[in-house]
Amino acid sequence: MSEAILEQISEALMKGRAPQLKELVQRALDQGLEAERILQEGMIGGMSVIGAKFKRNEVYVPEVLIAARAMNAGMEILKQALSDAGVKAKATVCVGTVKGDLHDIGKNLVCMMLEGAGYEVVDIGVNVETEKFIAAAREHQAGLVGMSALLTTTMGAMKAAVDGFKEAGLADQVKIMVGGAPVTQSFADEIGADGYAPDAASAVDVANGLLGLS
Ligand code: B1M
């Protein structure tokens, strides 16, 4: 019985059917299912499938955005129940696009995927200066900071930000993950970032790896 409704929740999320998902989440709660099971096995389960399909080019940006929107709708219903049950986010991640760069579509996808995987995500926007990344990480006690760059001319700002975290004495407490179309693993290694993800779904795997979570 509970398996069936969790399966339906996953399906509704993958298809991006927000109103149906809200109804199913409410029904599952009314049936006495634990909020954490609904989140993990229903919603995050469905989002992981979308992430895996996105990596294999079986679905594209619009499908991911629609699924993420449904996830947010489901979360509206689930939030109170999760907090009543004392369920906490896995960790906090601050994500932004680096200084000089206004591209935010990829960054937004990364935020949505991380949220879908159970992280508390603080989106610090675009054109983010090193000081703002550092201040956000401190304010939100983030374990991980994600930086996105889409222009070859703004990749240098990533190095400045990584150096800034070192100079601020935060390198041991805060891991840094970088990504964006012109960014590569070798560039990430060169600037001393802790991790690199080629796409939004991989960003979840990299975040889990860097923070020792699953
Ligand atoms: Co811009 N733009 N743009 N642009 N733009 C590119 C990036 C460009 C490749 C186009 C081209 O010339 N072919 C080119 C860059 C050339 C270069 O540097 N090598 C370019 C340029 C030159 C510019 C301007 C300078 C143009 C001008 O004004 N002369 C200007 C710069 C403005 C600025 O930022 N200061 C500019 C402006 C714009 C718009 C405002 C018009 C618009 C942005 C709208 C917005 O973001 N809200 C725009 C767009 C849309 C693009 C293209 C067409 C699409 C980018 C995109 O959203 N892709 C792009 C060309 C292209 O890619 N075909 C282009 C979809 C998105 C899902 O992919 O962002 O790569 P992406 O994210 C992926 C991965 O990279 C990864 O995950 C995502 C999902 O899988 N990822 C991460 C991203 N961030 C990550 C972070 C992570 C991990 C993974 O960890 C933290």
Side-chain angles (χ1 to χ4, degrees), residues 140-196:
H140 300 284
Q141 298 184 329
L144 178 69
V145 166
M147 296 175 191
S148 179
L150 262 285
L151 300 171
T152 44
T153 49
T154 56
M155 287 166 70
M158 278 182 166
K159 174 161 171 39
V162 170
D163 290 347
F165 274 84
K166 284 188 192 138
E167 282 155 24
L170 289 170
D172 291 340
Q173 296 153 48
V174 185
K175 302 281 182 201
I176 297 182
M177 169 169 67
V178 294
V183 180
T184 59
Q185 180 66 59
S186 66
F187 176 76
D189 295 342
E190 193 185 307
I191 64 170
D194 299 292
Y196 158 73

Side-chain angles (χ1 to χ4, degrees), residues 66-143:
I66 291 166
R69 216 171 296 146
M71 177 101 193
N72 287 337
M75 282 307 287
E76 280 172 31
I77 308 287
L78 210 53
K79 232 168 205 165
Q80 189 56 50
L82 283 169
S83 115
D84 291 349
V87 177
K88 294 212 163 43
K90 286 207 286 202
T92 300
V93 185
C94 294
V95 186
T97 303
V98 296
K99 188 180 169 194
D101 202 322
L102 303 175
H103 296 84
D104 67 356
I105 299 168
K107 168 196 63 78
N108 294 345
L109 276 176
V110 170
C111 289
M112 287 169 181
M113 281 295 184
L114 288 170
E115 255 168 19
Y119 285 95
E120 173 81 36
V121 176
V122 181
D123 182 347
I124 38 183
V126 296
N127 192 22
V128 178
E129 305 209 2
T130 300
E131 295 71 28
K132 197 169 170 191
F133 274 117
I134 292 174
R138 283 202 168 117
E139 183 188 343
H140 300 284
Q141 298 184 329

